[in-house]
Amino acid sequence: MTKVLYPGSFDPITYGHMNIIEQASKLFDEVYVAIMINPNKISMFTLEERVNMIKEIYKQYDNVHVVYSSSASVDLASECGCSAILRGLRSLSDYEYEVSLAQVNKQISNGIINTICLFSDANYQFISSSIVKEIDKLGKDLSAYVHPIVEEQMILRRAKW
Ligand code: ADP
């Protein structure tokens, strides 16, 4: 059985992340979308909100699961029975960061956890959670970047400002 852990902040999940999850759900038996908690990072959505949105989006997918942790992603990968971490690549700058991360993760897991990278399809390459948050601040249409469930939550927040 092939299982992968896809860690990230997912604050919020975008069509870029979803494109990677879509590809992975066809390539691997089980995909664990892992929300990694970083207490030093100010997030737009709480952990619970992020978990609920991703669960709702993938409720029809039998092989996509949502997990979360504040420990190392390699430890969570082992706990979930995953021998690999999945990351998504957009640009050359992503590549440089992902290479170091992959090496560190291999080292701290005593050579056990490998990293697999997938490229998002052309239409999704430029989307990031931070760009989506900027577009949201401008009060512009979010429908090309996030699932309607996420869009609804973001618009609800605008109304509270
Ligand atoms: P992090 O905070 O660890 O960067 P993110 O939630 O931003 O986590 O992203 C998780 C993973 O998804 C990272 O590997 C990131 O490069 C990848 N990713 C995010 N957006 C895209 C995209 N549009 N195309 C491909 N990969 C993406």
Side-chain angles (χ1 to χ4, degrees):
M1 193 126 159
T2 54
K3 295 183 178 188
V4 283
L5 187 92
Y6 181 37
S9 313
F10 303 103
D11 185 42
I13 186 165
T14 68
Y15 278 143
H17 295 122
M18 288 178 63
N19 184 250
I20 298 292
I21 297 168
E22 186 70 37
Q23 294 181 48
S25 73
K26 292 179 185 134
L27 289 168
F28 306 102
D29 295 320
E30 306 284 340
V31 180
Y32 289 82
V33 179
I35 303 173
M36 303 313 292
I37 307 159
N38 181 353
N40 301 321
K41 221 167 160 179
I42 298 167
S43 56
M44 177 173 202
F45 290 103
T46 64
L47 172 67
E48 198 186 356
E49 287 169 330
R50 282 178 273 166
V51 169
N52 289 341
M53 283 190 283
I54 303 175
K55 277 193 175 162
E56 184 64 20
I57 292 171
Y58 290 101
K59 65 178 178 201
Q60 319 280 23
Y61 286 65
D62 290 339
N63 70 338
V64 177
H65 314 280
V66 186
V67 291
Y68 56 87
S69 173
S70 55
S71 61
S73 29
V74 289
D75 293 338
L76 183 60
S78 300
E79 279 166 35
C80 296
C82 302
S83 55
I85 280 177
L86 172 68
R87 298 288 289 176
L89 282 185
R90 285 164 293 202
S91 57
L92 211 59
S93 55
D94 267 356
Y95 173 82
E96 283 173 10
Y97 174 68
E98 295 298 340
V99 170
S100 341
L101 197 62
Q103 285 164 350
V104 167
N105 280 334
K106 184 114 186 204
Q107 235 164 36
I108 62 173
S109 65
N110 297 318
I112 293 174
I113 306 287
N114 286 299
T115 298
I116 295 168
C117 289
L118 286 175
F119 301 97
S120 51
D121 294 328
N123 291 349
Y124 305 103
Q125 289 265 326
F126 69 98
I127 308 176
S128 67
S129 299
S130 39
I131 285 182
V132 167
K133 284 184 262 196
E134 288 304 318
I135 298 167
D136 181 52
K137 270 191 211 155
L138 298 170
K140 298 287 182 192
D141 181 17
L142 296 163
S143 60
Y145 315 104
V146 293
H147 188 280
I149 288 171
V150 177
E151 187 185 8
E152 190 190 335
Q153 290 304 314
M154 295 186 91
I155 290 171
L156 272 174
R157 259 152 210 266
R158 278 185 200 166
K160 285 184 197 156
W161 287 353

